[in-house]
Amino acid sequence: GLHFAKVDFGQVPMVFDNIVVHPLKDGTIQFDMDVVWDGLCDIDLKAGALEFGVQNIKFFGRMQFVMNPLSDILPCIGAIQYAFVSPPTIDLDFTGLANVADFAAIDKVIQNVLDDIIASLLVLPNRMTFKMDPACDYRKAFVPPIGVARVTAVSGQGFKVEKRRLLKDDVPDVYLKIKLGDKVWQTSMQKNNLTPEWNETADFLLSDNNQVLHVEAWDEDKGMLASDDELGKTSMTIAEILLEGKTKEVELLDSENRGTGAFVTLYCDVCRLKADPKAFDSLPPSNHFGGLLTIIVTKAFNLPLSREEAESSVKVKYGGKEYLTGVVVDVPDCPGWDCLNPVYDVSFLVPITPEHVKEGLPDVIFELQNGSNKPSTLGSFAVSHKSLLAAPENTIKEIRFIGEGGAKLEFHLSLHGIEVVDTGRGPPSKSLVAAESLMASTQGGIGHSLVAPDETPEAQTIPQAADELVRKVKKVYVTIIGGKGFKITKKKFGMKDIPDVYCTVKYGSSPKVWRTSTVKNNVSPEWRESEKYILSNENEVISLDAWDANSKGGDTHYGSFRVTVAAVLLSSGKIEMELLNKGANTGCFVTLSCFKTSTQRGIGHSLVAPDENPEAQAIPQAVDTARGPLSKSLIAAESLMASTQGGIGHSLVAPDETPEAQTIPQAADELVRKVK
């Protein structure tokens, strides 16, 4: 099997930035940050007789830290839980045989192994826990999911026929792979279809609105030697889909982040988890969750064992599947460690499937075991689903005897159904969804809901959340101006390779990659191309990579840099940054600028950006049309589009003659659609 023979991570440190601290809520502190590493290393791997190495690792991931419960006694924090919001990206630069032979297969195998390990331990909804206070009750520190993301693959368009010289042209048989957290779902295949329609839905556990949804489109090829062809891929956060009115059409990108011309449309709803015994009376549709069972095993007491033989663990059985805690052994001279009263502190999130509901909810069986290889059973007990449904809030927290030796087990069980959003009142208005979604993306926080209360009338114009949003949300134009220092290299037979430079840009926590145009045969390229982003705070990080486009083989990576919006603004809105490659200076520079939009009350407010950002000068004509007094909804919609920095006299109050019940005109709808 594949294993590490040597690991040396070198001298280049990891970078921690783009830190966002969320407001204190329910006694919980939460902050998110990027973890970035591009360093030289010396790693040897072996797989049977094959030996190869890794000399460089590029790593990027966004981590979430949750600290709770809080107290007024040092250390003030009971426990810290941490996880990656979405699976991190890891690029490996091989040496030895793997480098010579360009072993894509080895790269894929290692990537899959790393992805599986990290996803099972450290990608939401899975979290690792470190107790600051050893006496902290893990059940109080546990953070449940905020709900269920119900994702629908609606349709696709723009897929192309593959022209063949000798064989019949291939019309793609398209299917999608959709991944959120550690779950991957595959749609059906639409045969010979350039505009496939799926209208298929699947549920995913959702722990944060900024979790990334990864989408891949594939062309199914049948045959002994045939393999499916990737047609493109894209990524977006759940909040970004909700921002578009819960439906988003997005272009698929190729491996070089170029648009393929093919698009897929996705719909996403966020459903609450609710303690309701009647939630399991009806059978949920295929690929839907019927609910969620949360299992927490904290600790055991009075194991009838000697310290030398203690190797205890707990096995939980539910619906034909087994869930295992870690094995606790004796650790001499470790203060607070007691293998005869072992602490497990582990949670399992078990989605209730249609099969569970159809066959009748099974009982939960706990088994206390001892031994690491062939464990023996010390005792067991079962908790019936009837007793769980009859318990207050469908929750049981108990310490029960297990086995005949006097041992006890402390556990927690809770069972929640799925509360479907907006049932009976249709989709919420675009303005309401945009306001709620933007509030979620700028404030986030554990348990933040994007769903309007049921008692909120649909005719309500813009809720207080929108007013608060208008005061807080700002936007920023990021412009890639130009570069310098790119060098001409010599090729075989005296040929010269003049750089064909392009940049890829990521902003904040969004997975979206923006690629500039390619400036050919130029050591000092100029782009002057811009993108607009939501500025939730000025510590948002702009991550830029520069590349040399090659007609054959992969593109050459010049280097990268990361800079905060605040650093650019403090440099008079423009900054020149040197590219770094594997932690070393390259002598290549890229200049970029940032410009924050501003709002003035009334018609004709200006969004004009500096000269290098002419695209920003366009204001939607819908705003400038003569249309009389503005409704409160329309003013709020304009503010959402233009963003706000406050300003003297800025008001969202509608004129007295404007009816409060006036609906949002087409101009406002157009503005809401354009909010990014």
Side-chain angles (χ1 to χ4, degrees):
L2 180 66
H3 64 278
F4 291 93
K6 177 183 178 182
V7 177
D8 181 359
F9 289 114
Q11 301 298 317
V12 179
M14 286 189 176
V15 176
F16 302 92
D17 59 16
N18 195 16
I19 300 174
V20 176
V21 180
H22 298 277
L24 182 67
K25 183 177 181 180
D26 299 331
T28 297
I29 298 173
Q30 178 191 339
F31 65 93
D32 308 332
M33 68 179 182
D34 290 346
V35 181
V36 186
W37 187 46
D38 181 7
L40 295 172
C41 57
D42 185 6
I43 300 176
D44 293 335
L45 298 100
K46 292 183 179 181
L50 179 64
E51 295 186 19
F52 54 95
V54 178
Q55 65 180 357
N56 172 241
I57 297 178
K58 290 182 173 63
F59 180 94
F60 172 80
R62 184 157 185 82
M63 295 199 74
Q64 180 185 98
F65 294 82
V66 178
M67 296 180 287
N68 69 337
L70 305 181
S71 71
D72 55 1
I73 301 175
L74 291 176
C76 300
I77 298 169
I80 300 176
Q81 297 179 76
Y82 51 95
F84 287 102
V85 176
S86 294
T89 57
I90 305 174
D91 293 326
L92 306 176
D93 185 6
F94 291 105
T95 61
L97 179 61
N99 182 52
V100 173
D102 192 20
F103 271 13
I106 292 178
D107 190 4
K108 191 68 174 178
V109 168
I110 296 175
Q111 186 72 51
N112 290 339
V113 170
L114 293 175
D115 286 348
D116 291 343
I117 293 174
I118 295 174
S120 64
L121 297 174
L122 268 177
V123 175
L124 292 176
N126 302 312
R127 306 174 193 263
M128 298 289 284
T129 301
F130 176 76
K131 283 189 174 181
M132 298 289 290
D133 179 4
C136 172
D137 187 341
Y138 176 77
R139 294 173 296 181
K140 294 181 179 180
F142 173 74
V143 179
I146 64 174
V148 170
R150 182 155 288 171
V151 179
T152 300
V154 181
S155 61
Q157 61 160 318
F159 293 99
K160 298 177 178 62
V161 177
E162 181 184 354
K163 299 293 184 180
R164 295 176 175 177
R165 292 184 179 180
L166 301 178
L167 301 175
K168 183 180 178 181
D169 291 347
D170 181 23
V171 181
D173 306 324
V174 188
Y175 66 89
L176 301 180
K177 288 182 181 179
I178 298 178
K179 181 177 182 180
L180 181 69
D182 58 355
K183 177 181 176 180
V184 180
W185 167 59
Q186 182 173 313
T187 68
S188 64
M189 179 270 293
Q190 300 297 304
K191 190 172 182 62
N192 295 333
N193 203 326
L194 301 178
T195 56
E197 292 187 6
W198 295 281
N199 291 313
E200 298 173 11
T201 302
D203 286 351
F204 300 82
L205 285 181
L206 184 66
S207 297
D208 191 277
N209 294 319
N210 284 319
Q211 282 185 260
V212 176
L213 193 71
H214 298 277
V215 182
E216 298 176 353
W218 291 82
D219 176 16
E220 182 180 274
D221 290 328
K222 293 185 177 180
M224 293 182 61
L225 301 178
S227 60
D228 295 353
D229 300 321
E230 185 175 338
L231 302 176
K233 58 186 177 181
T234 188
S235 299
M236 68 213 78
T237 64
I238 295 298
E240 287 173 329
I241 303 177
L242 298 173
L243 177 61
E244 299 290 336
K246 300 186 180 181
T247 301
K248 184 176 180 66
E249 183 182 63
V250 60
E251 184 176 14
L252 298 171
L253 307 178
D254 62 14
S255 59
E256 302 296 334
N257 292 311
R258 291 184 291 252
T260 62
F263 294 79
V264 294
T265 299
L266 301 174
Y267 175 85
C268 179
D269 219 341
V270 176
C271 307
R272 294 188 183 100
L273 297 171
K274 182 179 181 181
D276 181 7
K278 297 182 179 180
F280 308 99
D281 292 344
S282 59
L283 185 66
S286 176
N287 292 319
H288 284 216
F289 294 159
L292 178 69
L293 173 66
T294 302
I295 305 170
I296 300 177
V297 181
T298 51
K299 53 188 173 182
F301 306 89
N302 306 323
L303 298 189
L305 302 167
S306 65
R307 294 187 179 275
E308 292 74 17
E309 63 182 354
E311 295 179 333
S312 69
S313 62
V314 177
K315 177 193 293 185
V316 184
K317 297 180 180 180
Y318 187 80
K321 292 189 176 181
E322 298 180 348
Y323 306 89
L324 297 172
T325 70
V327 177
V328 178
V329 300
D330 185 34
V331 180
D333 303 323
C334 181
W337 188 272
D338 187 355
C339 64
L340 300 183
N341 295 280
V343 175
Y344 304 107
D345 282 349
V346 64
S347 59
F348 306 106
L349 300 174
V350 184
I352 303 299
T353 65
E355 291 73 22
H356 290 147
V357 178
K358 182 178 180 180
E359 298 173 3
L361 297 181
D363 296 340
V364 185
I365 300 174
F366 293 87
E367 290 185 1
L368 181 61
Q369 304 180 132
N370 192 66
S372 55
N373 294 325
K374 296 181 179 180
S376 59
T377 301
L378 300 178
S380 65
F381 62 79
V383 179
S384 69
H385 75 276
K386 292 183 179 179
S387 63
L388 186 54
L389 291 175
E393 296 297 318
N394 300 154
T395 299
I396 295 177
K397 298 180 181 180
E398 288 186 5
I399 299 176
R400 289 192 184 182
F401 282 102
I402 186 167
E404 298 179 355
K408 297 179 181 180
L409 183 67
E410 183 179 71
F411 68 96
H412 165 112
L413 290 175
S414 62
L415 186 61
H416 292 84
I418 305 295
E419 182 181 20
V420 180
V421 179
D422 298 323
T423 299
R425 61 187 180 96
S429 65
K430 290 185 177 180
S431 55
L432 180 58
V433 173
E436 291 175 334
S437 303
L438 281 170
M439 285 300 296
S441 64
T442 55
Q443 288 189 330
I446 295 294
H448 181 76
S449 173
L450 298 183
V451 183
D454 292 340
E455 62 270 13
T456 302
E458 191 58 26
Q460 182 177 346
T461 54
I462 299 289
Q464 293 181 354
D467 292 340
E468 184 178 358
L469 170 68
V470 170
R471 291 193 297 270
K472 291 186 176 181
V473 173
K474 303 174 184 178
K475 293 184 181 177
V476 61
Y477 286 91
V478 177
T479 301
I480 310 303
I481 300 174
K484 68 178 185 180
F486 297 95
K487 299 175 179 61
I488 300 174
T489 57
K490 292 184 179 180
K491 302 176 69 175
K492 294 181 179 179
F493 309 111
M495 299 290 290
K496 293 182 179 180
D497 181 16
I498 305 176
D500 305 322
V501 188
Y502 68 90
C503 298
T504 56
V505 181
K506 292 182 69 176
Y507 176 86
S509 59
S510 172
K512 177 184 176 182
V513 178
W514 162 41
R515 173 173 170 157
T516 68
S517 61
T518 301
V519 179
K520 294 187 175 181
N521 299 327
N522 202 321
V523 295
S524 300
E526 289 191 6
W527 294 280
R528 299 187 181 276
E529 298 173 12
S530 304
E531 278 286 317
K532 182 171 62 176
Y533 301 97
I534 291 175
L535 182 63
S536 57
N537 68 82
E538 294 185 358
N539 287 321
E540 295 272 24
V541 171
I542 303 166
S543 177
L544 182 144
D545 289 78
W547 303 81
D548 180 13
N550 297 321
S551 57
K552 295 182 180 180
D555 295 347
T556 303
H557 185 234
Y558 281 117
S560 62
F561 65 76
R562 294 169 63 84
V563 62
T564 64
V565 173
V568 181
L569 296 176
L570 288 173
S571 299
S572 301
K574 182 189 296 186
I575 194 168
E576 182 181 76
M577 297 288 296
E578 184 176 8
L579 299 171
L580 301 178
N581 195 330
K582 301 175 183 177
N585 298 333
T586 62
C588 302
F589 296 81
V590 172
T591 300
L592 61 83
S593 68
C594 290
F595 172 74
K596 292 195 299 184
T597 56
S598 60
T599 296
Q600 299 176 3
R601 187 180 186 276
I603 298 174
H605 54 268
S606 175
L607 285 175
V608 178
D611 293 340
E612 57 265 28
N613 192 11
E615 296 88 343
Q617 299 181 13
I619 301 176
Q621 294 181 357
V623 178
D624 296 325
T625 54
R627 52 201 162 134
L630 303 178
S631 69
K632 187 175 182 180
S633 302
L634 183 53
I635 294 174
E638 285 181 331
S639 303
L640 285 168
M641 177 63 190
S643 155
T644 78
Q645 297 181 14
I648 298 176
H650 181 74
S651 174
L652 292 179
V653 179
D656 294 337
E657 62 270 25
T658 301
E660 196 57 31
Q662 179 179 344
T663 58
I664 302 179
Q666 293 181 353
D669 286 341
E670 180 181 349
L671 289 171
V672 173
R673 284 195 301 271
K674 292 185 177 181
V675 175
K676 298 271 172 64

